[in-house]
Amino acid sequence: HKEYRRQRQMCIRDRRMGIAPVKYIIKVKMAQAKRMLTEGNYSIKEIAAALHYENQLYFSRQFTRDVGIPPRQYRAETRSKS
């Protein structure tokens, strides 16, 4: 419930800023992927499936495009900072 409210507030703010709905959905999915990579021991395949990507490679490409580095590198870098 709290997560839904936070996402709804982000959606309203992003609409005011002119972000497209598809970009908003990707933004939310990538934020969740970052949390899963940092806080959990999920495989890339499990994260992709949890975020409703049928193809792990497509998820990895989308993550890299959005975040700037591949998921495995993101995980390694964020965990080494902890």
Side-chain angles (χ1 to χ4, degrees):
H1 190 280
K2 186 187 273 187
E3 179 67 17
Y4 172 78
R5 188 177 316 143
R6 187 181 70 76
Q7 288 180 0
R8 175 121 172 90
Q9 289 170 342
M10 283 175 54
C11 181
I12 291 168
R13 185 192 70 220
D14 289 345
R15 281 188 184 169
R16 288 182 186 152
M17 295 173 65
I19 193 168
V22 171
K23 288 187 179 187
Y24 171 76
I25 291 168
I26 292 169
K27 180 178 175 181
V28 169
K29 285 183 174 187
M30 293 303 115
Q32 180 65 27
K34 288 179 185 179
R35 278 192 294 278
M36 293 176 81
L37 286 164
T38 305
E39 299 169 2
N41 289 318
Y42 305 101
S43 69
I44 305 300
K45 185 176 183 176
E46 289 172 322
I47 294 171
L51 298 175
H52 305 286
Y53 285 91
E54 293 181 19
N55 185 312
Q56 176 185 340
L57 181 58
Y58 180 72
F59 163 74
S60 292
R61 287 180 181 159
Q62 184 69 56
F63 187 93
T64 302
R65 191 176 316 132
D66 191 69
V67 178
I69 57 175
R72 290 188 203 292
Q73 183 179 346
Y74 180 86
R75 172 180 276 157
E77 289 181 8
T78 55
R79 287 191 176 174
S80 68
K81 291 178 183 178
S82 300

Coordinates of all heavy atoms in Angstrom, one line a residue:
H1 N 0.8 -1.2 0.0 CA 0.0 0.0 0.0 C 0.9 1.3 0.0 O 0.6 2.2 -0.7 CB -0.9 0.0 1.2 CG -2.0 1.0 1.2 ND1 -1.7 2.3 1.6 CD2 -3.3 1.0 0.8 CE1 -2.8 3.0 1.4 NE2 -3.8 2.3 1.0
K2 N 1.9 1.3 0.8 CA 2.8 2.4 0.9 C 3.5 2.6 -0.4 O 3.7 3.7 -0.9 CB 3.8 2.2 2.1 CG 4.7 3.4 2.3 CD 5.7 3.1 3.3 CE 5.2 3.4 4.7 NZ 6.3 3.3 5.7
E3 N 4.0 1.4 -1.0 CA 4.7 1.5 -2.3 C 3.8 2.0 -3.4 O 4.2 2.8 -4.2 CB 5.2 0.1 -2.6 CG 6.0 0.0 -3.9 CD 7.3 0.8 -3.9 OE1 7.8 1.1 -2.8 OE2 7.8 1.0 -5.0
Y4 N 2.6 1.6 -3.4 CA 1.6 2.0 -4.4 C 1.4 3.6 -4.3 O 1.5 4.3 -5.3 CB 0.3 1.3 -4.2 CG -0.8 1.9 -5.1 CD1 -0.8 1.6 -6.5 CD2 -1.7 2.8 -4.6 CE1 -1.8 2.2 -7.3 CE2 -2.7 3.4 -5.5 CZ -2.7 3.0 -6.8 OH -3.7 3.6 -7.6
R5 N 1.3 4.0 -3.1 CA 1.1 5.5 -2.9 C 2.3 6.3 -3.4 O 2.2 7.3 -4.0 CB 0.9 5.8 -1.4 CG 0.5 7.2 -1.2 CD 0.2 7.6 0.3 NE -0.7 6.5 0.9 CZ -0.5 6.2 2.2 NH1 0.4 6.7 2.9 NH2 -1.3 5.2 2.7
R6 N 3.5 5.8 -3.1 CA 4.8 6.4 -3.5 C 4.8 6.4 -5.0 O 5.2 7.5 -5.6 CB 6.0 5.7 -2.9 CG 7.3 6.4 -3.2 CD 8.5 5.6 -2.6 NE 8.7 4.4 -3.3 CZ 9.3 4.3 -4.5 NH1 9.7 5.4 -5.1 NH2 9.5 3.2 -5.1
Q7 N 4.5 5.3 -5.7 CA 4.6 5.2 -7.1 C 3.5 6.1 -7.7 O 3.8 6.8 -8.8 CB 4.4 3.8 -7.6 CG 5.6 2.9 -7.3 CD 5.4 1.5 -7.8 OE1 4.3 1.1 -8.3 NE2 6.4 0.7 -7.6
R8 N 2.4 6.2 -7.1 CA 1.3 7.1 -7.6 C 1.8 8.6 -7.6 O 1.5 9.3 -8.5 CB 0.0 6.9 -6.8 CG -1.1 7.9 -7.2 CD -2.3 7.1 -7.7 NE -3.4 8.0 -7.8 CZ -3.7 8.6 -9.0 NH1 -3.0 8.4 -10.0 NH2 -4.7 9.4 -9.1
Q9 N 2.4 9.0 -6.5 CA 2.9 10.3 -6.3 C 4.0 10.6 -7.4 O 4.0 11.7 -8.0 CB 3.4 10.5 -5.0 CG 2.4 10.6 -3.9 CD 2.9 10.6 -2.5 OE1 4.1 10.2 -2.2 NE2 2.1 11.0 -1.5
M10 N 4.8 9.6 -7.7 CA 5.8 9.8 -8.7 C 5.2 9.9 -10.1 O 5.6 10.8 -10.9 CB 6.8 8.6 -8.7 CG 7.8 8.5 -7.6 SD 8.8 7.0 -7.6 CE 9.4 7.0 -9.3
C11 N 4.1 9.2 -10.3 CA 3.4 9.2 -11.6 C 2.8 10.6 -11.8 O 2.9 11.2 -12.9 CB 2.3 8.2 -11.6 SG 1.4 8.1 -13.2
I12 N 2.2 11.1 -10.8 CA 1.5 12.5 -10.9 C 2.6 13.5 -11.1 O 2.5 14.4 -12.0 CB 0.7 12.8 -9.6 CG1 -0.5 11.9 -9.5 CG2 0.4 14.3 -9.5 CD1 -1.2 11.9 -8.2
R13 N 3.7 13.4 -10.4 CA 4.8 14.4 -10.6 C 5.4 14.3 -12.0 O 5.6 15.3 -12.7 CB 5.9 14.2 -9.5 CG 7.0 15.2 -9.6 CD 8.2 14.8 -8.8 NE 8.9 13.7 -9.5 CZ 9.4 12.7 -8.9 NH1 9.4 12.6 -7.6 NH2 10.0 11.7 -9.6
D14 N 5.6 13.0 -12.4 CA 6.2 12.8 -13.8 C 5.3 13.3 -14.9 O 5.8 13.8 -15.9 CB 6.6 11.4 -14.0 CG 7.8 11.0 -13.1 OD1 8.5 11.9 -12.6 OD2 8.1 9.8 -12.9
R15 N 4.0 13.1 -14.7 CA 3.1 13.6 -15.7 C 3.1 15.1 -15.9 O 3.0 15.6 -16.9 CB 1.6 13.1 -15.4 CG 1.4 11.7 -15.7 CD -0.1 11.4 -15.6 NE -0.3 10.0 -15.8 CZ -1.4 9.4 -15.6 NH1 -2.4 10.0 -15.0 NH2 -1.6 8.1 -15.8
R16 N 3.2 15.8 -14.7 CA 3.4 17.2 -14.7 C 4.6 17.6 -15.4 O 4.7 18.7 -16.0 CB 3.3 17.8 -13.3 CG 2.0 17.7 -12.7 CD 2.0 18.3 -11.3 NE 0.7 18.1 -10.6 CZ 0.6 18.0 -9.3 NH1 1.6 18.1 -8.5 NH2 -0.6 17.8 -8.8
M17 N 5.7 16.8 -15.3 CA 6.9 17.1 -16.0 C 7.0 16.7 -17.4 O 7.9 16.9 -18.2 CB 8.1 16.5 -15.2 CG 8.2 17.0 -13.8 SD 9.4 16.1 -12.8 CE 10.9 16.5 -13.7
G18 N 5.9 16.0 -17.9 CA 5.8 15.6 -19.3 C 6.5 14.3 -19.7 O 6.8 14.1 -20.8
I19 N 6.7 13.4 -18.7 CA 7.2 12.1 -19.0 C 6.2 11.1 -19.6 O 5.0 11.1 -19.1 CB 8.0 11.5 -17.8 CG1 8.8 10.3 -18.2 CG2 7.0 11.1 -16.7 CD1 9.8 9.8 -17.1
A20 N 6.5 10.4 -20.6 CA 5.5 9.5 -21.2 C 5.3 8.3 -20.3 O 6.1 7.8 -19.5 CB 6.1 8.9 -22.5
P21 N 4.1 7.7 -20.3 CA 3.7 6.6 -19.5 C 4.6 5.4 -19.6 O 5.0 4.8 -18.6 CB 2.3 6.2 -19.9 CG 1.7 7.5 -20.5 CD 2.9 8.2 -21.1
V22 N 5.1 5.1 -20.8 CA 6.0 3.9 -21.0 C 7.3 4.2 -20.3 O 7.9 3.3 -19.7 CB 6.2 3.6 -22.5 CG1 7.3 2.6 -22.7 CG2 4.9 3.2 -23.1
K23 N 7.8 5.4 -20.4 CA 9.1 5.8 -19.8 C 8.9 5.7 -18.3 O 9.8 5.3 -17.6 CB 9.5 7.2 -20.2 CG 10.1 7.2 -21.6 CD 10.7 8.5 -22.0 CE 11.2 8.4 -23.4 NZ 12.0 9.6 -23.8
Y24 N 7.7 6.1 -17.8 CA 7.5 6.0 -16.4 C 7.5 4.6 -15.9 O 8.1 4.3 -14.8 CB 6.1 6.7 -16.0 CG 5.7 6.4 -14.6 CD1 6.3 7.1 -13.6 CD2 4.8 5.4 -14.3 CE1 6.0 6.9 -12.2 CE2 4.4 5.2 -13.0 CZ 5.0 5.9 -12.0 OH 4.7 5.6 -10.7
I25 N 6.9 3.7 -16.6 CA 6.9 2.3 -16.2 C 8.3 1.7 -16.2 O 8.7 1.0 -15.3 CB 6.0 1.5 -17.2 CG1 4.5 1.9 -17.0 CG2 6.2 0.0 -17.0 CD1 3.6 1.4 -18.0
I26 N 9.1 2.1 -17.2 CA 10.5 1.6 -17.2 C 11.2 2.2 -16.1 O 12.0 1.4 -15.4 CB 11.2 2.0 -18.6 CG1 10.5 1.2 -19.7 CG2 12.7 1.8 -18.5 CD1 10.9 1.7 -21.1
K27 N 11.0 3.4 -15.7 CA 11.7 4.1 -14.6 C 11.4 3.3 -13.3 O 12.3 3.1 -12.5 CB 11.2 5.5 -14.5 CG 11.8 6.3 -13.4 CD 11.3 7.8 -13.5 CE 11.7 8.6 -12.4 NZ 11.2 10.0 -12.4
V28 N 10.1 3.0 -13.1 CA 9.7 2.3 -11.9 C 10.3 0.9 -11.9 O 10.8 0.4 -10.8 CB 8.2 2.2 -11.8 CG1 7.7 1.2 -10.7 CG2 7.6 3.6 -11.6
K29 N 10.3 0.2 -13.0 CA 10.9 -1.2 -13.1 C 12.4 -1.1 -12.8 O 12.9 -2.0 -12.1 CB 10.7 -1.8 -14.4 CG 9.2 -2.3 -14.6 CD 9.1 -3.0 -16.0 CE 7.8 -3.6 -16.1 NZ 7.7 -4.4 -17.4
M30 N 13.1 -0.1 -13.3 CA 14.5 0.0 -13.1 C 14.9 0.3 -11.6 O 15.8 -0.2 -11.1 CB 15.2 1.0 -14.1 CG 15.1 0.5 -15.5 SD 15.9 -1.1 -15.8 CE 14.4 -2.0 -16.4
A31 N 14.0 1.1 -11.0 CA 14.2 1.4 -9.6 C 14.1 0.1 -8.8 O 14.8 -0.1 -7.8 CB 13.2 2.5 -9.1
Q32 N 13.1 -0.7 -9.1 CA 12.9 -2.0 -8.4 C 14.0 -2.9 -8.7 O 14.5 -3.6 -7.8 CB 11.6 -2.6 -8.8 CG 11.3 -3.9 -8.1 CD 11.1 -3.8 -6.6 OE1 10.6 -2.7 -6.2 NE2 11.4 -4.8 -5.9
A33 N 14.5 -2.9 -9.9 CA 15.7 -3.8 -10.3 C 16.9 -3.4 -9.5 O 17.6 -4.2 -8.9 CB 15.9 -3.7 -11.8
K34 N 17.1 -2.1 -9.3 CA 18.3 -1.6 -8.5 C 18.2 -2.1 -7.1 O 19.2 -2.5 -6.5 CB 18.3 -0.1 -8.6 CG 18.8 0.5 -9.9 CD 18.8 2.0 -9.7 CE 19.1 2.7 -11.0 NZ 19.0 4.2 -10.9
R35 N 17.0 -2.0 -6.5 CA 16.8 -2.5 -5.1 C 17.0 -4.0 -5.0 O 17.7 -4.4 -4.1 CB 15.4 -2.2 -4.7 CG 15.2 -0.7 -4.2 CD 13.9 -0.6 -3.4 NE 12.7 -0.7 -4.3 CZ 12.2 0.2 -5.1 NH1 12.8 1.4 -5.1 NH2 11.1 0.0 -5.8
M36 N 16.5 -4.7 -6.0 CA 16.7 -6.2 -6.0 C 18.2 -6.6 -6.1 O 18.7 -7.5 -5.5 CB 15.8 -6.8 -7.0 CG 14.4 -6.7 -6.7 SD 13.3 -7.4 -8.0 CE 13.4 -9.2 -7.6
L37 N 18.9 -5.8 -7.0 CA 20.3 -6.1 -7.2 C 21.1 -5.8 -5.9 O 22.1 -6.4 -5.6 CB 20.8 -5.3 -8.4 CG 20.4 -5.8 -9.8 CD1 20.6 -4.7 -10.8 CD2 21.1 -7.1 -10.1
T38 N 20.7 -4.7 -5.3 CA 21.5 -4.2 -4.1 C 21.2 -5.0 -2.8 O 22.1 -5.4 -2.1 CB 21.2 -2.7 -3.9 OG1 21.5 -2.0 -5.1 CG2 22.1 -2.2 -2.8
E39 N 19.9 -5.2 -2.6 CA 19.4 -5.8 -1.3 C 19.2 -7.3 -1.3 O 19.1 -7.9 -0.2 CB 18.2 -5.1 -0.9 CG 18.3 -3.6 -0.7 CD 17.0 -2.8 -0.6 OE1 16.0 -3.5 -0.5 OE2 17.1 -1.6 -0.5
G40 N 19.1 -7.9 -2.5 CA 18.8 -9.3 -2.5 C 19.9 -10.2 -3.1 O 20.9 -9.6 -3.6
N41 N 19.7 -11.4 -3.1 CA 20.6 -12.4 -3.8 C 19.9 -13.0 -5.0 O 20.1 -14.2 -5.3 CB 21.0 -13.5 -2.8 CG 22.0 -12.9 -1.7 OD1 22.8 -12.1 -2.1 ND2 21.8 -13.3 -0.5
Y42 N 19.1 -12.2 -5.7 CA 18.4 -12.7 -6.8 C 19.3 -12.8 -8.0 O 20.2 -11.9 -8.2 CB 17.2 -11.8 -7.2 CG 16.3 -11.6 -6.0 CD1 16.3 -10.4 -5.3 CD2 15.3 -12.5 -5.7 CE1 15.5 -10.2 -4.2 CE2 14.4 -12.3 -4.6 CZ 14.5 -11.1 -3.9 OH 13.7 -10.9 -2.9
S43 N 19.1 -13.8 -8.9 CA 19.8 -13.8 -10.1 C 19.2 -12.8 -11.1 O 18.1 -12.3 -10.9 CB 19.7 -15.2 -10.8 OG 18.4 -15.4 -11.2
I44 N 20.0 -12.5 -12.1 CA 19.5 -11.5 -13.1 C 18.2 -12.1 -13.8 O 17.2 -11.4 -14.0 CB 20.5 -11.2 -14.2 CG1 21.8 -10.7 -13.6 CG2 20.0 -10.3 -15.3 CD1 21.7 -9.5 -12.8
K45 N 18.2 -13.4 -14.0 CA 17.0 -14.1 -14.6 C 15.8 -13.9 -13.7 O 14.7 -13.6 -14.1 CB 17.3 -15.5 -14.8 CG 16.3 -16.3 -15.5 CD 16.7 -17.7 -15.8 CE 15.6 -18.5 -16.5 NZ 16.1 -19.8 -16.9
E46 N 16.0 -14.1 -12.3 CA 14.9 -13.9 -11.4 C 14.4 -12.5 -11.4 O 13.2 -12.3 -11.3 CB 15.3 -14.4 -10.0 CG 15.6 -15.8 -9.9 CD 16.2 -16.2 -8.5 OE1 17.1 -15.5 -8.0 OE2 15.8 -17.3 -8.0
I47 N 15.3 -11.6 -11.4 CA 14.9 -10.1 -11.4 C 14.1 -9.8 -12.7 O 13.0 -9.2 -12.6 CB 16.1 -9.2 -11.3 CG1 16.7 -9.4 -9.9 CG2 15.7 -7.8 -11.5 CD1 18.0 -8.7 -9.7
A48 N 14.6 -10.3 -13.8 CA 13.9 -10.1 -15.1 C 12.5 -10.6 -15.0 O 11.5 -10.0 -15.4 CB 14.7 -10.7 -16.2
A49 N 12.3 -11.8 -14.5 CA 11.0 -12.5 -14.4 C 10.1 -11.7 -13.4 O 8.9 -11.5 -13.7 CB 11.2 -14.0 -14.0
A50 N 10.6 -11.3 -12.3 CA 9.8 -10.6 -11.3 C 9.3 -9.3 -11.9 O 8.2 -8.8 -11.5 CB 10.7 -10.3 -10.1
L51 N 10.0 -8.7 -12.8 CA 9.6 -7.4 -13.4 C 8.9 -7.6 -14.7 O 8.7 -6.7 -15.5 CB 10.8 -6.5 -13.6 CG 11.5 -6.1 -12.3 CD1 12.8 -5.4 -12.6 CD2 10.6 -5.4 -11.4
H52 N 8.5 -8.9 -15.0 CA 7.7 -9.2 -16.2 C 8.4 -9.1 -17.5 O 7.8 -8.7 -18.5 CB 6.4 -8.5 -16.2 CG 5.6 -8.7 -14.9 ND1 5.0 -9.9 -14.6 CD2 5.4 -7.9 -13.8 CE1 4.4 -9.8 -13.4 NE2 4.7 -8.6 -12.9
Y53 N 9.7 -9.3 -17.5 CA 10.5 -9.3 -18.7 C 10.6 -10.8 -19.1 O 11.0 -11.6 -18.3 CB 11.9 -8.8 -18.6 CG 11.9 -7.3 -18.5 CD1 11.8 -6.6 -17.3 CD2 12.0 -6.5 -19.7 CE1 11.9 -5.2 -17.3 CE2 12.1 -5.1 -19.6 CZ 12.0 -4.5 -18.4 OH 12.1 -3.1 -18.4
E54 N 10.1 -11.2 -20.3 CA 10.1 -12.6 -20.7 C 11.5 -13.0 -21.1 O 11.9 -14.1 -21.1 CB 9.2 -12.8 -21.9 CG 7.7 -12.7 -21.5 CD 6.8 -12.9 -22.6 OE1 7.2 -13.5 -23.6 OE2 5.6 -12.5 -22.5
N55 N 12.4 -12.0 -21.5 CA 13.7 -12.3 -22.0 C 14.7 -11.6 -21.1 O 14.7 -10.3 -21.0 CB 13.8 -11.7 -23.4 CG 15.1 -12.0 -24.1 OD1 16.1 -11.8 -23.6 ND2 15.0 -12.5 -25.3
Q56 N 15.6 -12.4 -20.5 CA 16.6 -11.8 -19.6 C 17.6 -10.9 -20.3 O 18.0 -9.9 -19.8 CB 17.4 -13.0 -19.0 CG 18.6 -12.6 -18.1 CD 19.4 -13.8 -17.7 OE1 18.9 -14.9 -17.7 NE2 20.6 -13.5 -17.3
L57 N 17.9 -11.2 -21.6 CA 18.8 -10.4 -22.3 C 18.2 -9.0 -22.6 O 18.8 -8.0 -22.5 CB 19.2 -11.0 -23.7 CG 20.1 -10.3 -24.6 CD1 21.5 -10.0 -23.9 CD2 20.4 -11.1 -25.8
Y58 N 16.9 -9.0 -22.9 CA 16.2 -7.7 -23.2 C 16.2 -6.9 -21.9 O 16.4 -5.7 -21.9 CB 14.8 -8.0 -23.6 CG 14.0 -6.7 -23.9 CD1 14.3 -5.9 -25.0 CD2 13.0 -6.2 -23.0 CE1 13.7 -4.7 -25.2 CE2 12.4 -5.0 -23.2 CZ 12.7 -4.3 -24.3 OH 12.0 -3.1 -24.5
F59 N 15.9 -7.5 -20.7 CA 16.0 -6.8 -19.5 C 17.4 -6.2 -19.3 O 17.5 -5.0 -18.9 CB 15.7 -7.7 -18.3 CG 16.1 -7.2 -17.0 CD1 15.4 -6.1 -16.4 CD2 17.2 -7.7 -16.3 CE1 15.8 -5.6 -15.2 CE2 17.6 -7.2 -15.1 CZ 16.9 -6.1 -14.5
S60 N 18.4 -7.0 -19.5 CA 19.8 -6.5 -19.3 C 20.1 -5.3 -20.2 O 20.7 -4.3 -19.8 CB 20.8 -7.6 -19.5 OG 20.7 -8.6 -18.5
R61 N 19.6 -5.4 -21.4 CA 19.8 -4.3 -22.3 C 19.1 -3.0 -21.9 O 19.6 -1.9 -22.0 CB 19.4 -4.6 -23.8 CG 20.4 -5.6 -24.4 CD 19.9 -5.9 -25.8 NE 20.8 -6.9 -26.4 CZ 20.4 -7.7 -27.4 NH1 19.2 -7.6 -28.0 NH2 21.3 -8.5 -28.0
Q62 N 17.8 -3.2 -21.5 CA 17.0 -2.1 -21.0 C 17.7 -1.5 -19.7 O 17.7 -0.2 -19.6 CB 15.6 -2.6 -20.6 CG 14.7 -1.5 -20.2 CD 14.3 -0.5 -21.4 OE1 13.9 -1.0 -22.4 NE2 14.6 0.7 -21.2
F63 N 18.1 -2.3 -18.8 CA 18.8 -1.8 -17.6 C 20.0 -1.0 -18.0 O 20.2 0.1 -17.5 CB 19.2 -3.0 -16.7 CG 19.7 -2.5 -15.4 CD1 18.9 -2.4 -14.3 CD2 21.1 -2.3 -15.2 CE1 19.4 -2.0 -13.1 CE2 21.6 -1.9 -14.0 CZ 20.7 -1.8 -12.9
T64 N 20.9 -1.5 -18.9 CA 22.1 -0.8 -19.3 C 21.8 0.5 -20.0 O 22.4 1.5 -19.7 CB 22.9 -1.7 -20.3 OG1 23.2 -3.0 -19.6 CG2 24.2 -1.1 -20.7
R65 N 20.7 0.5 -20.8 CA 20.3 1.7 -21.5 C 19.9 2.8 -20.5 O 20.2 4.0 -20.6 CB 19.2 1.4 -22.5 CG 18.9 2.6 -23.4 CD 17.8 2.2 -24.4 NE 18.1 0.8 -25.0 CZ 17.2 -0.1 -25.2 NH1 15.9 0.1 -24.8 NH2 17.5 -1.3 -25.7
D66 N 19.1 2.3 -19.5 CA 18.5 3.3 -18.5 C 19.5 3.7 -17.4 O 19.6 4.9 -17.1 CB 17.3 2.6 -17.9 CG 16.5 3.6 -17.0 OD1 15.9 4.5 -17.7 OD2 16.5 3.5 -15.8
V67 N 20.3 2.8 -16.9 CA 21.2 3.0 -15.8 C 22.6 3.4 -16.3 O 23.3 4.2 -15.6 CB 21.2 1.8 -14.8 CG1 22.2 2.0 -13.7 CG2 19.8 1.5 -14.3
G68 N 23.0 2.9 -17.4 CA 24.3 3.2 -17.9 C 25.4 2.1 -17.8 O 26.5 2.2 -18.4
I69 N 25.1 1.1 -17.0 CA 26.0 0.0 -16.8 C 25.1 -1.3 -16.7 O 24.0 -1.2 -16.3 CB 26.9 0.1 -15.5 CG1 26.0 0.3 -14.3 CG2 27.9 1.2 -15.7 CD1 26.8 0.3 -13.0
P70 N 25.7 -2.4 -17.0 CA 24.9 -3.7 -17.0 C 24.6 -4.1 -15.5 O 25.2 -3.6 -14.6 CB 25.9 -4.7 -17.5 CG 26.9 -4.0 -18.3 CD 27.0 -2.6 -17.6
P71 N 23.5 -4.9 -15.4 CA 23.0 -5.2 -14.0 C 24.1 -5.9 -13.1 O 24.3 -5.5 -12.0 CB 21.9 -6.2 -14.2 CG 21.5 -6.0 -15.6 CD 22.6 -5.4 -16.4
R72 N 24.9 -6.8 -13.7 CA 26.0 -7.4 -12.9 C 27.0 -6.4 -12.4 O 27.5 -6.5 -11.3 CB 26.7 -8.5 -13.7 CG 25.8 -9.7 -14.0 CD 26.6 -10.8 -14.7 NE 25.8 -11.8 -15.4 CZ 24.9 -12.6 -14.9 NH1 24.7 -12.6 -13.7 NH2 24.2 -13.4 -15.7
Q73 N 27.4 -5.5 -13.3 CA 28.3 -4.5 -12.9 C 27.7 -3.6 -11.8 O 28.4 -3.2 -10.8 CB 28.8 -3.6 -14.1 CG 29.8 -2.6 -13.8 CD 30.3 -1.8 -15.0 OE1 30.0 -2.2 -16.1 NE2 30.9 -0.7 -14.8
Y74 N 26.4 -3.2 -12.0 CA 25.8 -2.4 -11.0 C 25.8 -3.1 -9.6 O 26.1 -2.4 -8.6 CB 24.3 -2.1 -11.4 CG 23.5 -1.3 -10.4 CD1 23.6 0.1 -10.5 CD2 22.8 -1.8 -9.4 CE1 22.9 0.9 -9.6 CE2 22.1 -1.1 -8.5 CZ 22.2 0.3 -8.6 OH 21.5 1.1 -7.7
R75 N 25.5 -4.4 -9.6 CA 25.5 -5.1 -8.3 C 26.9 -5.1 -7.7 O 27.0 -4.9 -6.5 CB 25.0 -6.6 -8.6 CG 25.2 -7.5 -7.4 CD 24.8 -8.9 -7.6 NE 23.3 -8.9 -7.5 CZ 22.6 -9.8 -8.0 NH1 23.1 -10.8 -8.8 NH2 21.3 -9.8 -7.8
A76 N 27.9 -5.4 -8.5 CA 29.2 -5.4 -8.0 C 29.7 -4.1 -7.4 O 30.3 -4.0 -6.3 CB 30.2 -5.9 -9.1
E77 N 29.4 -3.0 -8.1 CA 29.8 -1.7 -7.7 C 29.0 -1.2 -6.4 O 29.6 -0.6 -5.5 CB 29.6 -0.7 -8.8 CG 30.6 -0.9 -9.9 CD 30.5 0.1 -11.0 OE1 29.7 1.1 -10.9 OE2 31.2 0.0 -12.1
T78 N 27.7 -1.5 -6.4 CA 27.0 -1.0 -5.2 C 27.3 -1.9 -4.0 O 27.3 -1.3 -2.9 CB 25.4 -1.1 -5.5 OG1 25.0 -2.4 -5.9 CG2 25.0 -0.1 -6.5
R79 N 27.6 -3.1 -4.2 CA 27.9 -4.0 -3.0 C 29.3 -3.7 -2.5 O 29.6 -3.8 -1.3 CB 27.8 -5.4 -3.3 CG 26.3 -5.8 -3.4 CD 26.1 -7.3 -3.5 NE 24.7 -7.6 -3.5 CZ 24.2 -8.8 -3.7 NH1 25.1 -9.8 -3.9 NH2 22.9 -9.0 -3.7
S80 N 30.2 -3.3 -3.4 CA 31.6 -3.0 -3.0 C 31.6 -1.7 -2.2 O 32.5 -1.4 -1.4 CB 32.5 -2.9 -4.2 OG 32.3 -1.8 -5.0
K81 N 30.7 -0.8 -2.4 CA 30.6 0.5 -1.7 C 30.0 0.3 -0.2 O 30.2 1.1 0.6 CB 29.7 1.5 -2.4 CG 30.3 2.0 -3.7 CD 29.4 2.9 -4.4 CE 30.0 3.3 -5.7 NZ 29.1 4.2 -6.5
S82 N 29.3 -0.8 0.0 CA 28.7 -1.1 1.3 C 29.7 -1.5 2.3 O 30.7 -2.1 2.1 CB 27.6 -2.1 1.2 OG 26.7 -1.7 0.3

